[in-house]
Amino acid sequence: MIVGHRIQQRQPADYEDVPRPVVGIGNDYPPSFELAEHSHRRGQFLYASRGVVAVSTPDGAWVAPPERAVWIPAGTPHSVRMVGKVQTRSVLVAPSAGAALADTCRVVAVSPLLRQLLVAASEVPAEYDLEGRDGLVMALLVAEICQAPVIPIVVPFPRNPALAERCHRFLESPRAGDTIERWSDALAMNRRRFTRLFRRETGMSFAEWRQQACLSVALPRLAAGDSVTAIALDLGYDGPGNFSTMFKRVLGVPPSRYLQQ
């Protein structure tokens, strides 16, 4: 794991005061590089044109494999973990330019047009001509981000300390067969109280959250080249068939085709 390794990067903090509403930046990261928790005054649309990025905030975790990106609203504390060699093409959006964008983190699909705009934006000078071609690229880029389809990959973290600790431990070693009874017993709650608390704290049922947590662990492993069978068995599925069925139900395609698309 590489944390705090000194490499030359274009940092979002360096562009906070640039007198432009949207700024594009591009970086290359070595495998397992981690950006410690930080925040910035601009929102960030974080896209990995190569590799996978995993974003964590106090409220949840989001994973973006190829052709997906994470929107991180301005002021959101977040850390980023790189899976494999990662090449990012990001844009920083001032609140005045991103009023139509969501005020919560989310994973969205990156269309071919949006991908090309992100690549182009990373090559635009920081203080570009607002009325010229570069200004048009940035304006179209924000419009495309606003209409990008949301992908249902999110693992919200509860505020309740005991429940949050249990959720974080699950992410470290997820088991698809874990039960409400096991969690409620561990937290000294009856089933009804636990299910009500869990939904209130996360906005999801326990089964939905467990499924999302397993997906968030599986996606980086798929991107790293691990086999579907190995991932399924490690997550506690009886075999690759059950895992693939769940994967396709949530993301629309089986895991064998997901990264190809």
Side-chain angles (χ1 to χ4, degrees), residues 37 55-63 77-79 154-172 183 197-204 209 212-213 216-217:
E37 185 174 279
V55 176
S56 294
T57 79
D59 295 320
W62 292 262
V63 177
H78 61 282
S79 60
V154 56
V155 186
F157 294 146
R159 295 292 183 179
N160 178 280
L163 187 56
E165 192 274 337
R166 187 83 188 181
C167 288
H168 281 282
R169 274 200 290 148
F170 183 86
L171 274 178
E172 293 174 1
W183 281 50
L197 174 67
F198 198 94
R199 183 173 287 280
R200 184 174 72 244
E201 292 276 324
T202 67
M204 294 180 173
W209 186 92
Q212 289 288 301
S216 75
V217 172

mmCIF file of all heavy atoms in Angstrom, residues 37 55-63 77-79 154-172 183 197-204 209 212-213 216-217:
data_model
loop_
_atom_site.group_PDB
_atom_site.id
_atom_site.type_symbol
_atom_site.label_atom_id
_atom_site.label_comp_id
_atom_site.label_asym_id
_atom_site.label_seq_id
_atom_site.Cartn_x
_atom_site.Cartn_y
_atom_site.Cartn_z
ATOM 1 N N GLU A 37 -8.050 11.463 3.615
ATOM 2 C CA GLU A 37 -9.286 12.246 3.643
ATOM 3 C C GLU A 37 -9.000 13.741 3.509
ATOM 4 O O GLU A 37 -8.117 14.288 4.159
ATOM 5 C CB GLU A 37 -10.048 11.987 4.943
ATOM 6 C CG GLU A 37 -11.406 12.681 4.973
ATOM 7 C CD GLU A 37 -12.231 12.315 6.187
ATOM 8 O OE1 GLU A 37 -12.860 11.234 6.169
ATOM 9 O OE2 GLU A 37 -12.230 13.112 7.158
ATOM 10 N N VAL A 55 -14.075 5.596 -3.559
ATOM 11 C CA VAL A 55 -14.213 6.826 -2.777
ATOM 12 C C VAL A 55 -14.959 6.514 -1.489
ATOM 13 O O VAL A 55 -16.004 5.867 -1.500
ATOM 14 C CB VAL A 55 -14.975 7.899 -3.579
ATOM 15 C CG1 VAL A 55 -15.209 9.146 -2.734
ATOM 16 C CG2 VAL A 55 -14.212 8.258 -4.849
ATOM 17 N N SER A 56 -14.422 6.997 -0.370
ATOM 18 C CA SER A 56 -15.074 6.823 0.926
ATOM 19 C C SER A 56 -15.307 8.180 1.573
ATOM 20 O O SER A 56 -14.435 9.060 1.523
ATOM 21 C CB SER A 56 -14.214 5.962 1.867
ATOM 22 O OG SER A 56 -14.098 4.646 1.388
ATOM 23 N N THR A 57 -16.477 8.350 2.174
ATOM 24 C CA THR A 57 -16.817 9.551 2.929
ATOM 25 C C THR A 57 -17.390 9.105 4.273
ATOM 26 O O THR A 57 -17.640 7.911 4.477
ATOM 27 C CB THR A 57 -17.863 10.407 2.191
ATOM 28 O OG1 THR A 57 -19.174 9.831 2.394
ATOM 29 C CG2 THR A 57 -17.574 10.499 0.699
ATOM 30 N N PRO A 58 -17.618 10.017 5.202
ATOM 31 C CA PRO A 58 -18.258 9.625 6.462
ATOM 32 C C PRO A 58 -19.641 9.019 6.254
ATOM 33 O O PRO A 58 -20.156 8.323 7.135
ATOM 34 C CB PRO A 58 -18.336 10.946 7.237
ATOM 35 C CG PRO A 58 -17.202 11.766 6.704
ATOM 36 C CD PRO A 58 -17.150 11.426 5.241
ATOM 37 N N ASP A 59 -20.246 9.266 5.104
ATOM 38 C CA ASP A 59 -21.613 8.795 4.859
ATOM 39 C C ASP A 59 -21.702 7.525 4.024
ATOM 40 O O ASP A 59 -22.784 6.939 3.900
ATOM 41 C CB ASP A 59 -22.425 9.891 4.163
ATOM 42 C CG ASP A 59 -22.606 11.112 5.047
ATOM 43 O OD1 ASP A 59 -22.834 10.925 6.262
ATOM 44 O OD2 ASP A 59 -22.505 12.243 4.543
ATOM 45 N N GLY A 60 -20.601 7.093 3.388
ATOM 46 C CA GLY A 60 -20.706 5.904 2.556
ATOM 47 C C GLY A 60 -19.489 5.674 1.693
ATOM 48 O O GLY A 60 -18.475 6.377 1.801
ATOM 49 N N ALA A 61 -19.615 4.677 0.809
ATOM 50 C CA ALA A 61 -18.528 4.297 -0.084
ATOM 51 C C ALA A 61 -19.068 4.127 -1.491
ATOM 52 O O ALA A 61 -20.182 3.627 -1.680
ATOM 53 C CB ALA A 61 -17.869 3.005 0.391
ATOM 54 N N TRP A 62 -18.283 4.557 -2.480
ATOM 55 C CA TRP A 62 -18.671 4.474 -3.889
ATOM 56 C C TRP A 62 -17.496 3.934 -4.689
ATOM 57 O O TRP A 62 -16.346 4.328 -4.464
ATOM 58 C CB TRP A 62 -19.048 5.854 -4.423
ATOM 59 C CG TRP A 62 -20.301 6.403 -3.826
ATOM 60 C CD1 TRP A 62 -21.561 6.380 -4.357
ATOM 61 C CD2 TRP A 62 -20.439 7.050 -2.544
ATOM 62 N NE1 TRP A 62 -22.465 6.970 -3.497
ATOM 63 C CE2 TRP A 62 -21.807 7.379 -2.378
ATOM 64 C CE3 TRP A 62 -19.547 7.372 -1.526
ATOM 65 C CZ2 TRP A 62 -22.290 8.014 -1.236
ATOM 66 C CZ3 TRP A 62 -20.019 7.999 -0.386
ATOM 67 C CH2 TRP A 62 -21.388 8.315 -0.259
ATOM 68 N N VAL A 63 -17.780 3.042 -5.624
ATOM 69 C CA VAL A 63 -16.732 2.446 -6.457
ATOM 70 C C VAL A 63 -17.035 2.754 -7.918
ATOM 71 O O VAL A 63 -18.171 2.571 -8.373
ATOM 72 C CB VAL A 63 -16.660 0.925 -6.251
ATOM 73 C CG1 VAL A 63 -15.618 0.304 -7.178
ATOM 74 C CG2 VAL A 63 -16.327 0.593 -4.803
ATOM 75 N N PRO A 77 -15.924 15.716 2.853
ATOM 76 C CA PRO A 77 -14.679 15.024 3.215
ATOM 77 C C PRO A 77 -14.649 13.647 2.541
ATOM 78 O O PRO A 77 -15.630 12.901 2.617
ATOM 79 C CB PRO A 77 -14.779 14.886 4.740
ATOM 80 C CG PRO A 77 -15.845 15.850 5.165
ATOM 81 C CD PRO A 77 -16.799 15.924 4.015
ATOM 82 N N HIS A 78 -13.550 13.325 1.892
ATOM 83 C CA HIS A 78 -13.480 12.041 1.202
ATOM 84 C C HIS A 78 -12.033 11.585 1.063
ATOM 85 O O HIS A 78 -11.113 12.389 1.014
ATOM 86 C CB HIS A 78 -14.122 12.126 -0.189
ATOM 87 C CG HIS A 78 -13.449 13.113 -1.098
ATOM 88 N ND1 HIS A 78 -13.641 14.484 -1.008
ATOM 89 C CD2 HIS A 78 -12.572 12.941 -2.132
ATOM 90 C CE1 HIS A 78 -12.931 15.100 -1.929
ATOM 91 N NE2 HIS A 78 -12.257 14.184 -2.622
ATOM 92 N N SER A 79 -11.868 10.269 1.022
ATOM 93 C CA SER A 79 -10.579 9.666 0.703
ATOM 94 C C SER A 79 -10.759 8.847 -0.568
ATOM 95 O O SER A 79 -11.877 8.458 -0.914
ATOM 96 C CB SER A 79 -10.090 8.776 1.859
ATOM 97 O OG SER A 79 -11.026 7.741 2.111
ATOM 98 N N VAL A 154 -23.834 2.086 -4.209
ATOM 99 C CA VAL A 154 -23.609 2.947 -3.052
ATOM 100 C C VAL A 154 -23.715 2.110 -1.789
ATOM 101 O O VAL A 154 -24.558 1.215 -1.686
ATOM 102 C CB VAL A 154 -24.619 4.116 -3.011
ATOM 103 C CG1 VAL A 154 -26.047 3.601 -3.025
ATOM 104 C CG2 VAL A 154 -24.387 5.005 -1.792
ATOM 105 N N VAL A 155 -22.823 2.378 -0.848
ATOM 106 C CA VAL A 155 -22.850 1.691 0.436
ATOM 107 C C VAL A 155 -22.905 2.760 1.526
ATOM 108 O O VAL A 155 -21.870 3.214 2.020
ATOM 109 C CB VAL A 155 -21.608 0.794 0.633
ATOM 110 C CG1 VAL A 155 -21.738 -0.013 1.923
ATOM 111 C CG2 VAL A 155 -21.421 -0.137 -0.555
ATOM 112 N N PRO A 156 -24.105 3.201 1.903
ATOM 113 C CA PRO A 156 -24.213 4.253 2.927
ATOM 114 C C PRO A 156 -23.812 3.742 4.307
ATOM 115 O O PRO A 156 -24.080 2.594 4.659
ATOM 116 C CB PRO A 156 -25.699 4.632 2.891
ATOM 117 C CG PRO A 156 -26.384 3.435 2.327
ATOM 118 C CD PRO A 156 -25.413 2.795 1.392
ATOM 119 N N PHE A 157 -23.142 4.611 5.072
ATOM 120 C CA PHE A 157 -22.747 4.266 6.430
ATOM 121 C C PHE A 157 -23.704 4.913 7.425
ATOM 122 O O PHE A 157 -24.036 6.088 7.299
ATOM 123 C CB PHE A 157 -21.326 4.756 6.720
ATOM 124 C CG PHE A 157 -20.263 4.070 5.906
ATOM 125 C CD1 PHE A 157 -19.140 4.773 5.495
ATOM 126 C CD2 PHE A 157 -20.375 2.738 5.557
ATOM 127 C CE1 PHE A 157 -18.150 4.152 4.750
ATOM 128 C CE2 PHE A 157 -19.392 2.112 4.814
ATOM 129 C CZ PHE A 157 -18.268 2.819 4.408
ATOM 130 N N PRO A 158 -24.141 4.173 8.431
ATOM 131 C CA PRO A 158 -25.036 4.741 9.446
ATOM 132 C C PRO A 158 -24.285 5.663 10.400
ATOM 133 O O PRO A 158 -23.056 5.615 10.500
ATOM 134 C CB PRO A 158 -25.561 3.508 10.179
ATOM 135 C CG PRO A 158 -24.503 2.479 9.997
ATOM 136 C CD PRO A 158 -23.890 2.739 8.647
ATOM 137 N N ARG A 159 -25.031 6.512 11.100
ATOM 138 C CA ARG A 159 -24.443 7.392 12.108
ATOM 139 C C ARG A 159 -24.341 6.712 13.461
ATOM 140 O O ARG A 159 -23.493 7.052 14.276
ATOM 141 C CB ARG A 159 -25.295 8.658 12.233
ATOM 142 C CG ARG A 159 -25.309 9.530 10.977
ATOM 143 C CD ARG A 159 -23.969 10.159 10.732
ATOM 144 N NE ARG A 159 -23.975 11.062 9.582
ATOM 145 C CZ ARG A 159 -22.918 11.756 9.167
ATOM 146 N NH1 ARG A 159 -21.770 11.629 9.815
ATOM 147 N NH2 ARG A 159 -22.997 12.549 8.116
ATOM 148 N N ASN A 160 -25.233 5.750 13.725
ATOM 149 C CA ASN A 160 -25.189 5.026 14.989
ATOM 150 C C ASN A 160 -23.818 4.365 15.134
ATOM 151 O O ASN A 160 -23.425 3.556 14.286
ATOM 152 C CB ASN A 160 -26.302 3.969 15.012
ATOM 153 C CG ASN A 160 -26.297 3.140 16.277
ATOM 154 O OD1 ASN A 160 -25.510 2.214 16.425
ATOM 155 N ND2 ASN A 160 -27.195 3.469 17.185
ATOM 156 N N PRO A 161 -23.052 4.669 16.186
ATOM 157 C CA PRO A 161 -21.663 4.181 16.281
ATOM 158 C C PRO A 161 -21.532 2.664 16.233
ATOM 159 O O PRO A 161 -20.679 2.131 15.514
ATOM 160 C CB PRO A 161 -21.183 4.746 17.623
ATOM 161 C CG PRO A 161 -22.047 5.943 17.862
ATOM 162 C CD PRO A 161 -23.391 5.580 17.303
ATOM 163 N N ALA A 162 -22.364 1.962 16.988
ATOM 164 C CA ALA A 162 -22.239 0.497 17.026
ATOM 165 C C ALA A 162 -22.593 -0.118 15.682
ATOM 166 O O ALA A 162 -21.918 -1.043 15.203
ATOM 167 C CB ALA A 162 -23.139 -0.073 18.130
ATOM 168 N N LEU A 163 -23.633 0.394 15.049
ATOM 169 C CA LEU A 163 -24.035 -0.127 13.743
ATOM 170 C C LEU A 163 -23.008 0.235 12.678
ATOM 171 O O LEU A 163 -22.694 -0.585 11.802
ATOM 172 C CB LEU A 163 -25.412 0.425 13.372
ATOM 173 C CG LEU A 163 -26.065 -0.139 12.109
ATOM 174 C CD1 LEU A 163 -26.175 -1.657 12.187
ATOM 175 C CD2 LEU A 163 -27.442 0.491 11.906
ATOM 176 N N ALA A 164 -22.451 1.455 12.738
ATOM 177 C CA ALA A 164 -21.427 1.864 11.775
ATOM 178 C C ALA A 164 -20.197 0.976 11.878
ATOM 179 O O ALA A 164 -19.622 0.566 10.863
ATOM 180 C CB ALA A 164 -21.043 3.326 12.008
ATOM 181 N N GLU A 165 -19.794 0.650 13.118
ATOM 182 C CA GLU A 165 -18.626 -0.201 13.297
ATOM 183 C C GLU A 165 -18.870 -1.579 12.701
ATOM 184 O O GLU A 165 -17.988 -2.162 12.069
ATOM 185 C CB GLU A 165 -18.321 -0.302 14.796
ATOM 186 C CG GLU A 165 -16.965 -0.923 15.131
ATOM 187 C CD GLU A 165 -17.018 -2.440 15.207
ATOM 188 O OE1 GLU A 165 -18.118 -2.988 15.438
ATOM 189 O OE2 GLU A 165 -15.962 -3.084 15.043
ATOM 190 N N ARG A 166 -20.088 -2.078 12.865
ATOM 191 C CA ARG A 166 -20.437 -3.386 12.295
ATOM 192 C C ARG A 166 -20.410 -3.331 10.769
ATOM 193 O O ARG A 166 -19.937 -4.258 10.105
ATOM 194 C CB ARG A 166 -21.835 -3.770 12.776
ATOM 195 C CG ARG A 166 -22.270 -5.169 12.394
ATOM 196 C CD ARG A 166 -21.747 -6.190 13.360
ATOM 197 N NE ARG A 166 -22.011 -7.554 12.881
ATOM 198 C CZ ARG A 166 -21.672 -8.639 13.548
ATOM 199 N NH1 ARG A 166 -21.069 -8.534 14.719
ATOM 200 N NH2 ARG A 166 -21.916 -9.837 13.061
ATOM 201 N N CYS A 167 -20.883 -2.238 10.193
ATOM 202 C CA CYS A 167 -20.895 -2.091 8.730
ATOM 203 C C CYS A 167 -19.479 -2.025 8.170
ATOM 204 O O CYS A 167 -19.172 -2.636 7.137
ATOM 205 C CB CYS A 167 -21.684 -0.839 8.338
ATOM 206 S SG CYS A 167 -23.477 -0.980 8.559
ATOM 207 N N HIS A 168 -18.611 -1.284 8.840
ATOM 208 C CA HIS A 168 -17.226 -1.182 8.376
ATOM 209 C C HIS A 168 -16.525 -2.542 8.450
ATOM 210 O O HIS A 168 -15.749 -2.895 7.560
ATOM 211 C CB HIS A 168 -16.476 -0.134 9.198
ATOM 212 C CG HIS A 168 -16.760 1.278 8.797
ATOM 213 N ND1 HIS A 168 -16.194 1.874 7.697
ATOM 214 C CD2 HIS A 168 -17.577 2.210 9.338
ATOM 215 C CE1 HIS A 168 -16.631 3.116 7.585
ATOM 216 N NE2 HIS A 168 -17.477 3.347 8.568
ATOM 217 N N ARG A 169 -16.813 -3.295 9.504
ATOM 218 C CA ARG A 169 -16.212 -4.627 9.619
ATOM 219 C C ARG A 169 -16.709 -5.558 8.520
ATOM 220 O O ARG A 169 -15.954 -6.386 8.000
ATOM 221 C CB ARG A 169 -16.522 -5.220 10.993
ATOM 222 C CG ARG A 169 -15.532 -4.800 12.068
ATOM 223 C CD ARG A 169 -15.573 -5.754 13.244
ATOM 224 N NE ARG A 169 -16.810 -5.651 14.003
ATOM 225 C CZ ARG A 169 -17.387 -6.663 14.632
ATOM 226 N NH1 ARG A 169 -16.851 -7.867 14.566
ATOM 227 N NH2 ARG A 169 -18.487 -6.482 15.319
ATOM 228 N N PHE A 170 -17.975 -5.414 8.162
ATOM 229 C CA PHE A 170 -18.527 -6.240 7.087
ATOM 230 C C PHE A 170 -17.818 -5.950 5.766
ATOM 231 O O PHE A 170 -17.517 -6.862 4.993
ATOM 232 C CB PHE A 170 -20.026 -5.992 6.945
ATOM 233 C CG PHE A 170 -20.683 -6.858 5.902
ATOM 234 C CD1 PHE A 170 -21.142 -8.128 6.219
ATOM 235 C CD2 PHE A 170 -20.835 -6.409 4.588
ATOM 236 C CE1 PHE A 170 -21.743 -8.941 5.248
ATOM 237 C CE2 PHE A 170 -21.426 -7.208 3.622
ATOM 238 C CZ PHE A 170 -21.886 -8.478 3.953
ATOM 239 N N LEU A 171 -17.554 -4.671 5.490
ATOM 240 C CA LEU A 171 -16.876 -4.317 4.245
ATOM 241 C C LEU A 171 -15.467 -4.901 4.181
ATOM 242 O O LEU A 171 -14.958 -5.183 3.100
ATOM 243 C CB LEU A 171 -16.808 -2.798 4.091
ATOM 244 C CG LEU A 171 -18.022 -2.123 3.450
ATOM 245 C CD1 LEU A 171 -17.815 -0.617 3.402
ATOM 246 C CD2 LEU A 171 -18.280 -2.658 2.057
ATOM 247 N N GLU A 172 -14.843 -5.074 5.325
ATOM 248 C CA GLU A 172 -13.507 -5.663 5.347
ATOM 249 C C GLU A 172 -13.549 -7.153 5.025
ATOM 250 O O GLU A 172 -12.584 -7.702 4.492
ATOM 251 C CB GLU A 172 -12.871 -5.440 6.724
ATOM 252 C CG GLU A 172 -12.573 -3.968 7.019
ATOM 253 C CD GLU A 172 -12.091 -3.769 8.442
ATOM 254 O OE1 GLU A 172 -11.978 -4.778 9.186
ATOM 255 O OE2 GLU A 172 -11.834 -2.610 8.814
ATOM 256 N N TRP A 183 -26.673 -10.074 13.076
ATOM 257 C CA TRP A 183 -26.360 -8.679 13.375
ATOM 258 C C TRP A 183 -27.149 -8.186 14.581
ATOM 259 O O TRP A 183 -26.596 -7.508 15.452
ATOM 260 C CB TRP A 183 -26.649 -7.807 12.159
ATOM 261 C CG TRP A 183 -25.594 -7.848 11.096
ATOM 262 C CD1 TRP A 183 -25.043 -8.963 10.549
ATOM 263 C CD2 TRP A 183 -24.975 -6.735 10.456
ATOM 264 N NE1 TRP A 183 -24.119 -8.610 9.586
ATOM 265 C CE2 TRP A 183 -24.056 -7.255 9.511
ATOM 266 C CE3 TRP A 183 -25.115 -5.361 10.573
ATOM 267 C CZ2 TRP A 183 -23.283 -6.442 8.696
ATOM 268 C CZ3 TRP A 183 -24.347 -4.527 9.756
ATOM 269 C CH2 TRP A 183 -23.435 -5.065 8.824
ATOM 270 N N LEU A 197 -34.060 0.393 12.719
ATOM 271 C CA LEU A 197 -32.870 1.227 12.880
ATOM 272 C C LEU A 197 -32.026 1.219 11.614
ATOM 273 O O LEU A 197 -31.559 2.271 11.155
ATOM 274 C CB LEU A 197 -32.036 0.728 14.065
ATOM 275 C CG LEU A 197 -30.673 1.429 14.266
ATOM 276 C CD1 LEU A 197 -30.876 2.884 14.668
ATOM 277 C CD2 LEU A 197 -29.831 0.688 15.314
ATOM 278 N N PHE A 198 -31.839 0.039 11.041
ATOM 279 C CA PHE A 198 -30.977 -0.073 9.866
ATOM 280 C C PHE A 198 -31.533 0.744 8.703
ATOM 281 O O PHE A 198 -30.799 1.486 8.039
ATOM 282 C CB PHE A 198 -30.822 -1.540 9.449
ATOM 283 C CG PHE A 198 -29.640 -1.778 8.556
ATOM 284 C CD1 PHE A 198 -28.425 -2.167 9.092
ATOM 285 C CD2 PHE A 198 -29.730 -1.592 7.186
ATOM 286 C CE1 PHE A 198 -27.323 -2.374 8.277
ATOM 287 C CE2 PHE A 198 -28.633 -1.791 6.364
ATOM 288 C CZ PHE A 198 -27.424 -2.183 6.913
ATOM 289 N N ARG A 199 -32.826 0.639 8.465
ATOM 290 C CA ARG A 199 -33.415 1.398 7.353
ATOM 291 C C ARG A 199 -33.385 2.895 7.632
ATOM 292 O O ARG A 199 -33.114 3.700 6.737
ATOM 293 C CB ARG A 199 -34.847 0.939 7.081
ATOM 294 C CG ARG A 199 -35.471 1.650 5.878
ATOM 295 C CD ARG A 199 -36.813 1.089 5.517
ATOM 296 N NE ARG A 199 -36.723 -0.214 4.878
ATOM 297 C CZ ARG A 199 -36.429 -0.391 3.591
ATOM 298 N NH1 ARG A 199 -36.177 0.647 2.805
ATOM 299 N NH2 ARG A 199 -36.384 -1.607 3.083
ATOM 300 N N ARG A 200 -33.638 3.288 8.871
ATOM 301 C CA ARG A 200 -33.606 4.710 9.192
ATOM 302 C C ARG A 200 -32.206 5.294 9.016
ATOM 303 O O ARG A 200 -32.033 6.418 8.537
ATOM 304 C CB ARG A 200 -34.082 4.924 10.629
ATOM 305 C CG ARG A 200 -34.169 6.398 11.014
ATOM 306 C CD ARG A 200 -34.783 6.602 12.384
ATOM 307 N NE ARG A 200 -33.876 6.183 13.453
ATOM 308 C CZ ARG A 200 -34.114 5.193 14.296
ATOM 309 N NH1 ARG A 200 -35.243 4.497 14.194
ATOM 310 N NH2 ARG A 200 -33.254 4.873 15.242
ATOM 311 N N GLU A 201 -31.186 4.511 9.382
ATOM 312 C CA GLU A 201 -29.811 5.009 9.344
ATOM 313 C C GLU A 201 -29.189 4.963 7.950
ATOM 314 O O GLU A 201 -28.311 5.765 7.639
ATOM 315 C CB GLU A 201 -28.956 4.195 10.316
ATOM 316 C CG GLU A 201 -29.291 4.413 11.772
ATOM 317 C CD GLU A 201 -28.605 5.639 12.358
ATOM 318 O OE1 GLU A 201 -27.454 5.911 11.976
ATOM 319 O OE2 GLU A 201 -29.225 6.319 13.189
ATOM 320 N N THR A 202 -29.599 4.012 7.114
ATOM 321 C CA THR A 202 -28.954 3.843 5.803
ATOM 322 C C THR A 202 -29.872 4.143 4.621
ATOM 323 O O THR A 202 -29.385 4.323 3.508
ATOM 324 C CB THR A 202 -28.428 2.402 5.633
ATOM 325 O OG1 THR A 202 -29.545 1.496 5.570
ATOM 326 C CG2 THR A 202 -27.510 2.013 6.771
ATOM 327 N N GLY A 203 -31.186 4.154 4.852
ATOM 328 C CA GLY A 203 -32.122 4.339 3.747
ATOM 329 C C GLY A 203 -32.342 3.079 2.937
ATOM 330 O O GLY A 203 -32.971 3.109 1.883
ATOM 331 N N MET A 204 -31.809 1.954 3.413
ATOM 332 C CA MET A 204 -31.923 0.672 2.711
ATOM 333 C C MET A 204 -32.346 -0.417 3.688
ATOM 334 O O MET A 204 -32.149 -0.287 4.902
ATOM 335 C CB MET A 204 -30.570 0.243 2.116
ATOM 336 C CG MET A 204 -30.024 1.088 1.017
ATOM 337 S SD MET A 204 -28.434 0.392 0.463
ATOM 338 C CE MET A 204 -28.111 1.447 -0.955
ATOM 339 N N TRP A 209 -28.511 -3.395 1.464
ATOM 340 C CA TRP A 209 -27.193 -2.869 1.843
ATOM 341 C C TRP A 209 -26.129 -3.961 1.712
ATOM 342 O O TRP A 209 -25.031 -3.703 1.197
ATOM 343 C CB TRP A 209 -27.230 -2.349 3.278
ATOM 344 C CG TRP A 209 -25.969 -1.661 3.700
ATOM 345 C CD1 TRP A 209 -25.693 -0.329 3.614
ATOM 346 C CD2 TRP A 209 -24.792 -2.280 4.251
ATOM 347 N NE1 TRP A 209 -24.415 -0.079 4.089
ATOM 348 C CE2 TRP A 209 -23.849 -1.260 4.480
ATOM 349 C CE3 TRP A 209 -24.466 -3.601 4.578
ATOM 350 C CZ2 TRP A 209 -22.606 -1.512 5.016
ATOM 351 C CZ3 TRP A 209 -23.204 -3.857 5.109
ATOM 352 C CH2 TRP A 209 -22.281 -2.813 5.333
ATOM 353 N N GLN A 212 -25.208 -4.355 -1.892
ATOM 354 C CA GLN A 212 -24.384 -3.259 -2.380
ATOM 355 C C GLN A 212 -22.958 -3.358 -1.841
ATOM 356 O O GLN A 212 -21.992 -3.082 -2.559
ATOM 357 C CB GLN A 212 -25.003 -1.923 -1.968
ATOM 358 C CG GLN A 212 -26.284 -1.569 -2.698
ATOM 359 C CD GLN A 212 -26.026 -1.175 -4.142
ATOM 360 O OE1 GLN A 212 -25.292 -0.236 -4.423
ATOM 361 N NE2 GLN A 212 -26.628 -1.905 -5.062
ATOM 362 N N ALA A 213 -22.829 -3.758 -0.588
ATOM 363 C CA ALA A 213 -21.499 -3.911 0.000
ATOM 364 C C ALA A 213 -20.706 -4.991 -0.733
ATOM 365 O O ALA A 213 -19.512 -4.823 -1.016
ATOM 366 C CB ALA A 213 -21.620 -4.243 1.488
ATOM 367 N N SER A 216 -19.547 -3.598 -4.039
ATOM 368 C CA SER A 216 -18.464 -2.617 -3.923
ATOM 369 C C SER A 216 -17.113 -3.305 -3.732
ATOM 370 O O SER A 216 -16.070 -2.757 -4.099
ATOM 371 C CB SER A 216 -18.730 -1.656 -2.762
ATOM 372 O OG SER A 216 -18.485 -2.270 -1.512
ATOM 373 N N VAL A 217 -17.123 -4.497 -3.153
ATOM 374 C CA VAL A 217 -15.889 -5.267 -2.992
ATOM 375 C C VAL A 217 -15.575 -6.043 -4.271
ATOM 376 O O VAL A 217 -14.409 -6.186 -4.666
ATOM 377 C CB VAL A 217 -16.016 -6.226 -1.790
ATOM 378 C CG1 VAL A 217 -14.822 -7.173 -1.721
ATOM 379 C CG2 VAL A 217 -16.135 -5.428 -0.496
#
